[in-house]
Amino acid sequence: MLHWPFVVRLVIAVDGPSGAGEATAARAVARSLGYRHGDTGARYRAVGWRARQLGIALDDEAAVTAVAEAARFDLDDGAIRIDGHDVTSAIRTPEMDKAATLVARNAAVRTVLVARQRALGAEGGVVMEGRDIGTVVFPQAALKIYLDASPEERARRRAADPAHTSGRIAAVAEVAVDLAARDKADSTRSVAPLMKADDAVYIDTTGIPIDDVVGRVLALARERAGARGSGPGSRD
């Protein structure tokens, strides 16, 4: 895998549907570049978890927004905390998949969290992944990647991931139904739907080892940095 001994201050946006590999790829790219990694989905999940812990219904938009506004996030080296609670494992369940979908539909919550995401990337040097990074959060990102995979491949990956299947190996068919529902919800919501930015590089990860995907993204990042004449330590 390619490693750079310097930091180029690009903003790299990685979007795609569930199971396409965007989280794994984004983390690996960030490590290789010495960049920060922004997991936007984790914040929506954490807000949903915190709201439920406080006894707030997720369809109470005003109350959930208040949770997001007051939330103290700590996302460090894979660990996720909200208001001092370590929710790293708690938010990676089928139940929280559904909760995140509900929270992400809340326009006011998105306004709050998008502002925080933009603050994280204000100085560049970040790889941020989600559903609307290249279209809404960072439409001027130096590099936009849209990862995808066949529905069958995405279902197989998610079914084999205990973090998203309550600690068990789930049936692929069962997961495929949940993913189809998530895809529909993400792509048809009225606020910041999942879609490929016009200038995003599309990568189909079906059957491709993650190291190959990461290698391609790193090569594109080097190309974009060179084209901008950015050099070591420059900003996007």
Side-chain angles (χ1 to χ4, degrees), residues 18 25 28 31 38-39 53 79 103 116 119 132 135 154 163 178 202 207 218 222 229 232-233:
S18 297
R31 283 196 302 270
D39 181 349
Q53 188 206 33
V103 173
R116 295 193 182 200
D132 63 344
T135 55
R154 294 193 292 119
D178 289 341
Y202 180 91
L218 288 171
R222 180 184 289 276

Side-chain angles (χ1 to χ4, degrees), residues 103-177:
V103 173
R105 291 176 181 169
N106 186 324
V109 168
R110 296 197 74 88
T111 297
V112 171
L113 296 187
V114 165
R116 295 193 182 200
Q117 292 158 21
R118 287 175 175 162
L120 177 64
E123 297 299 317
V126 64
V127 182
M128 192 163 291
E129 43 110 343
R131 300 290 183 271
D132 63 344
I133 308 306
T135 55
V136 175
V137 182
F138 291 113
Q140 303 303 319
L143 176 59
K144 301 176 188 177
I145 303 293
Y146 189 92
L147 298 185
D148 202 357
S150 69
E152 296 80 12
E153 175 90 352
R154 294 193 292 119
R156 282 194 296 271
R157 291 173 183 171
R158 188 53 62 92
D161 182 1
H164 285 277
T165 52
S166 299
R168 62 186 176 82
I169 302 301
V172 173
E174 173 188 341
V175 175
V177 171

